[in-house]
Amino acid sequence: MDKTKQPYGTVLIKASHILDFLSNCDEPQTLNTIAKETGLTNSTALKILDTLLLIGYVQKNSELKKFSLGLSIIKYANKSMNNLDIKKIAQPHLEELQRLTNETVHLGIQDKDHIIYITKIESKSPICLYSKVGNSIPMYCSAMGKAILADLSDEEIKNYLDCNPLIKLTDNTIITKYDFMEEISKVRKMGYAYDNGEHEEDVICIGVSINGSNKKYGAFSVSLPKYRLTENFHRQIVDAIQNCKLNILNELQ
């Protein structure tokens, strides 16, 4: 007899797949696309979408017949993010980091094998970035993700790599396990991590993890276009990031 505990209400799991898919889309999606990407039939997807529409978790463009996330679920997501202790503690220090560097600053937390952006403080000279609060990014091609992974054991990182293929997103994306482990070794020696245009072309990110009192809180980074990163500015950013991390950790103690 199978004693494995079965989830109650599998329709909720199917609904979560739809919401996960829509949360990663920048544009509204058709029923056919939603059904295909979530492994559901059109009939099942439509029934779930009708319920999600009723409670405001999704919204529908009647003219285009496309679906996107609704305001109700965004409200809950924002409330949850605002309640995160690390966000409240880190916010003033990240604002000071942004003031010192005048570049875009991100705060993220780990969600399974991804980093979710929970704070974004824009540069006064912004560039077009994928990042938005609530968006997620693979750990292997982000400075924050690498910084968090570098705190793990080699065995844990190898398990991560076994479950997450290194997909080439740009010409700079690291795509072999050997090269990635070499990268992690550099992160450990330097005390900070790079995304050298590995997720978005010509965008550099420098990030560090936030670990204190045997607890992992997430990571933060500074993002800027490659052409603005001079040798002197690089040193300035690294110093500012390390000071910011120290200030955050002091409050967490």
Side-chain angles (χ1 to χ4, degrees):
M1 180 177 178
D2 185 8
K3 296 183 179 180
T4 303
K5 187 176 181 179
Q6 298 298 315
Y8 177 76
T10 56
V11 68
L12 294 177
I13 297 175
K14 294 175 182 177
S16 75
H17 293 331
I18 291 176
L19 294 173
D20 286 344
F21 171 66
L22 290 177
S23 72
N24 287 313
C25 296
D26 291 328
E27 301 292 337
Q29 301 294 314
T30 64
L31 171 63
N32 285 341
T33 300
I34 293 170
K36 179 180 178 182
E37 294 297 325
T38 56
L40 302 173
T41 64
N42 280 24
S43 176
T44 299
L46 181 58
K47 290 176 181 176
I48 295 172
L49 283 165
D50 282 342
T51 301
L52 294 174
L53 274 169
L54 184 65
I55 59 178
Y57 284 11
V58 301
Q59 54 191 349
K60 181 180 180 181
N61 184 313
S62 298
E63 184 177 343
L64 298 177
K65 296 183 179 179
K66 292 184 177 181
F67 300 86
S68 59
L69 286 183
L71 295 179
S72 290
I73 198 164
I74 294 173
K75 174 184 67 178
Y76 295 135
N78 288 338
K79 182 65 175 178
S80 177
M81 288 180 182
N82 286 333
N83 286 336
L84 288 171
D85 287 342
I86 187 58
K87 180 176 180 180
K88 293 179 180 178
I89 292 172
Q91 187 70 26
H93 302 294
L94 297 177
E95 290 174 358
E96 175 65 6
L97 176 62
Q98 196 283 322
R99 187 189 68 79
L100 291 172
T101 63
N102 194 31
E103 299 295 348
T104 301
V105 173
H106 296 103
L107 174 66
I109 57 173
Q110 182 179 356
D111 179 37
K112 298 179 182 177
D113 297 328
H114 285 69
I115 293 292
I116 293 182
Y117 297 103
I118 62 171
T119 292
K120 180 179 182 180
I121 307 173
E122 288 276 14
S123 165
K124 293 179 181 178
S125 303
I127 55 174
C128 183
L129 291 171
Y130 160 84
S131 60
K132 296 178 184 176
V133 171
N135 276 9
S136 64
I137 183 174
M139 296 182 73
Y140 70 88
C141 60
S142 71
M144 290 190 288
K146 289 181 192 176
I148 289 175
L149 287 170
D151 290 332
L152 303 180
S153 67
D154 285 355
E155 188 64 29
E156 288 173 311
I157 297 173
K158 288 175 182 177
N159 289 337
Y160 164 82
L161 293 174
D162 287 341
C163 299
N164 293 273
L166 303 177
I167 299 170
K168 188 179 182 69
L169 301 178
T170 75
D171 289 340
N172 288 339
T173 307
I174 298 172
I175 56 173
T176 71
K177 294 181 179 180
Y178 176 83
D179 287 341
F180 190 81
M181 293 305 297
E182 287 290 300
E183 179 78 358
I184 291 298
S185 179
K186 293 177 184 177
V187 174
R188 288 168 173 165
K189 290 177 182 177
M190 296 187 300
Y192 55 89
Y194 276 111
D195 162 10
N196 185 21
E198 296 160 48
H199 183 257
E200 295 181 79
E201 293 281 2
D202 299 322
V203 176
I204 302 290
C205 299
I206 305 174
V208 293
S209 63
I210 310 172
N211 289 340
S213 303
N214 296 319
K215 185 174 180 180
K216 298 176 181 179
Y217 294 94
F220 65 92
S221 67
V222 172
S223 301
L224 67 158
K226 192 172 185 177
Y227 71 84
R228 288 211 288 256
L229 188 65
T230 64
E231 184 175 344
N232 287 339
F233 192 29
H234 167 264
R235 188 69 256 168
Q236 178 186 339
I237 292 175
V238 170
D239 288 345
I241 284 177
Q242 290 176 333
N243 286 334
C244 182
K245 175 177 179 176
L246 181 60
N247 290 334
I248 293 172
L249 290 177
N250 284 339
E251 285 207 44
L252 290 170
Q253 290 179 353

